[in-house]
């Protein structure tokens, strides 16, 4: 019941989070020359519930698994990629060309997952009209006009927390439907806009807590 509270296009957020994990796992298996895989083995290796893995795979696969053989790995990889739209590249814009923004602009791995950052915006005049990773930096004031003209649907926010909501509001006004938020703040958006938060503070706190407990237990 919990997963039904957070749906994206009729699919639970938890399922969407698991599918890239399956994809990476299957790619590793393919590199190891494996040709087939079973749901129980995937569940055991990934420490997931077998029933949930079967349900997730049934949602994306066209051929299904075969008794005693399992799934054809290459076909399953292809089905997951098609389901997630990895081959249908979506153009994205980035707001905030600071240190984190620069790192994302120069990273070439996004296109593997169907996303291409085409340009960035910043309010710092010293950065405007420069290029980072081959992507031109535009003044923040041009965000809405350019996003509307190019029919951009994905926005990436890498500005400080105090500026994140304003950046978000302009992206929404420009027609953006999905926002990847790196700012440590909860963004307010209309119901039709999806926000994926990357809260590094929470992740670091979890790591610190784990190390603290491990040291206490002598692990």
């Amino acid at each position: 019941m919990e997963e039904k509270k957070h749906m994206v296009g009729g699919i639970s957020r938890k399922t969407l989070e698991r599918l890239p994990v399956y994809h990476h796992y299957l790619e590793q298996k393919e590199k190891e020359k494996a040709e087939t895989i079973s749901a129980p083995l995937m569940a055991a290796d990934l420490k997931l519930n077998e029933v949930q893995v079967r349900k997730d795979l049934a949602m994306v696969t066209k051929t299904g698994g075969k008794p005693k053989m399992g799934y054809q790995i290459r076909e399953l990889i292809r089905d997951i990629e098609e389901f997630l739209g990895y081959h249908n590249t979506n153009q994205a814009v980035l707001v905030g060309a600071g240190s984190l923004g620069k790192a994302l602009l120069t990273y070439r791995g996004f296109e593997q997952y169907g996303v291409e950052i085409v340009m960035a915006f910043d309010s710092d005049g010293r950065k405007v009209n420069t290029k980072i990773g081959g992507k031109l930096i535009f003044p923040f004031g041009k965000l809405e006009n350019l996003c509307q003209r190019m029919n951009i649907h994905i926005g990436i926010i890498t500005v400080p927390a105090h500026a994140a909501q304003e950046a978000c509001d302009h992206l929404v006004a420009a027609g953006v439907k999905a926002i990847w938020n790196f700012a440590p703040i909860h963004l307010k958006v209309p119901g039709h806009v999806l926000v994926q938060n990357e809260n590094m503070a929470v992740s670091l706190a979890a790591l610190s807590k784990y190390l603290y407990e491990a040291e206490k237990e002598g692990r």
Side-chain angles (χ1 to χ4, degrees):
M1 292 295 294
E2 183 65 24
E3 290 197 5
K4 292 182 179 179
K5 296 179 181 179
H6 305 284
M7 307 291 284
V8 181
I11 305 159
S12 77
R13 289 285 295 270
K14 291 296 184 182
T15 297
L16 286 176
E17 290 172 2
R18 288 189 292 266
L19 290 177
V21 175
Y22 299 154
H23 183 267
H24 178 73
Y25 169 84
L26 292 166
E27 285 189 319
Q28 292 301 118
K29 286 295 181 183
E30 188 176 43
K31 289 178 182 177
E32 296 169 6
K33 307 301 182 183
E35 296 183 359
T36 60
I37 192 76
S38 68
L41 179 58
M42 286 183 64
D45 286 349
L46 297 172
K47 295 180 173 57
L48 294 171
N49 181 279
E50 181 185 333
V51 174
Q52 189 63 68
V53 171
R54 290 185 184 277
K55 287 182 179 179
D56 291 342
L57 297 183
M59 185 180 299
V60 303
T61 184
K62 295 179 179 179
T63 57
K66 298 180 180 179
K68 297 182 180 180
M69 287 186 59
Y71 300 86
Q72 291 288 330
I73 289 177
R74 172 87 315 254
E75 291 181 2
L76 191 51
I77 289 174
R78 182 196 61 210
D79 288 345
I80 292 174
E81 289 177 346
E82 184 174 330
F83 185 86
L84 293 174
Y86 280 3
H87 302 302
N88 303 320
T89 301
N90 291 294
Q91 293 185 328
V93 299
L94 181 142
V95 185
S99 298
L100 178 57
K102 289 178 181 177
L104 296 180
L105 286 169
T106 54
Y107 179 60
R108 299 301 180 191
F110 292 131
E111 293 182 20
Q112 176 185 353
Y113 303 104
V115 175
E116 177 191 10
I117 301 176
V118 293
M119 56 187 169
F121 298 89
D122 203 281
S123 58
D124 186 344
R126 293 170 297 180
K127 298 175 183 175
V128 170
N129 294 326
T130 64
K131 284 188 175 183
I132 299 175
K135 314 296 170 59
L136 187 62
I137 313 300
F138 290 92
F140 182 68
K142 290 189 176 182
L143 185 151
E144 288 188 35
N145 179 266
L146 285 174
C147 286
Q148 288 172 348
R149 283 168 52 191
M150 295 182 65
N151 199 29
I152 300 293
H153 289 156
I154 300 175
I156 303 171
I157 295 177
T158 53
V159 298
H162 70 270
Q165 187 62 56
E166 181 184 3
C168 175
D169 292 343
H170 282 277
L171 287 169
V172 171
V176 164
K177 299 176 182 178
I179 294 173
W180 195 10
N181 176 41
F182 285 84
I185 185 175
H186 175 74
L187 297 174
K188 297 177 182 178
V189 298
H192 70 278
V193 176
L194 171 68
V195 176
Q196 176 65 38
N197 293 299
E198 294 296 337
N199 195 324
M200 289 180 280
V202 171
S203 296
L204 289 172
L207 289 173
S208 296
K209 178 63 174 175
Y210 172 79
L211 291 174
Y212 174 72
E213 295 297 333
E215 287 179 2
K216 285 202 307 181
E217 296 174 9
R219 283 184 279 165

Coordinates of all heavy atoms in Angstrom, one line a residue, residues 15 59 107 125 129 172:
T15 N 9.4 1.4 -7.7 CA 9.7 0.6 -8.9 C 10.6 1.3 -9.8 O 11.6 0.7 -10.3 CB 8.4 0.2 -9.6 OG1 7.5 -0.6 -8.8 CG2 8.7 -0.6 -10.9
M59 N 6.2 -6.1 -15.3 CA 5.7 -4.9 -15.8 C 6.5 -4.4 -17.1 O 5.9 -3.7 -17.9 CB 5.8 -3.8 -14.7 CG 5.3 -2.5 -15.0 SD 5.5 -1.3 -13.7 CE 4.5 -2.1 -12.4
Y107 N 29.9 16.0 -17.3 CA 29.7 14.6 -17.2 C 29.0 14.1 -18.5 O 28.0 14.6 -18.9 CB 28.8 14.2 -16.0 CG 28.5 12.7 -15.8 CD1 29.6 11.8 -15.7 CD2 27.2 12.3 -15.9 CE1 29.3 10.5 -15.5 CE2 27.0 10.9 -15.7 CZ 28.0 10.0 -15.6 OH 27.7 8.7 -15.4
G125 N 27.1 37.4 -14.0 CA 27.4 37.9 -15.3 C 28.8 37.4 -15.8 O 29.0 37.4 -17.0
N129 N 27.7 33.6 -21.2 CA 28.3 33.6 -22.5 C 29.6 32.8 -22.5 O 30.4 32.9 -23.5 CB 28.5 35.0 -23.1 CG 27.2 35.7 -23.4 OD1 26.3 35.0 -23.8 ND2 27.2 37.0 -23.2
V172 N 9.0 25.8 -13.9 CA 7.6 25.4 -14.0 C 6.9 26.3 -15.0 O 6.1 25.9 -15.9 CB 6.9 25.4 -12.7 CG1 5.4 25.1 -12.8 CG2 7.5 24.3 -11.8

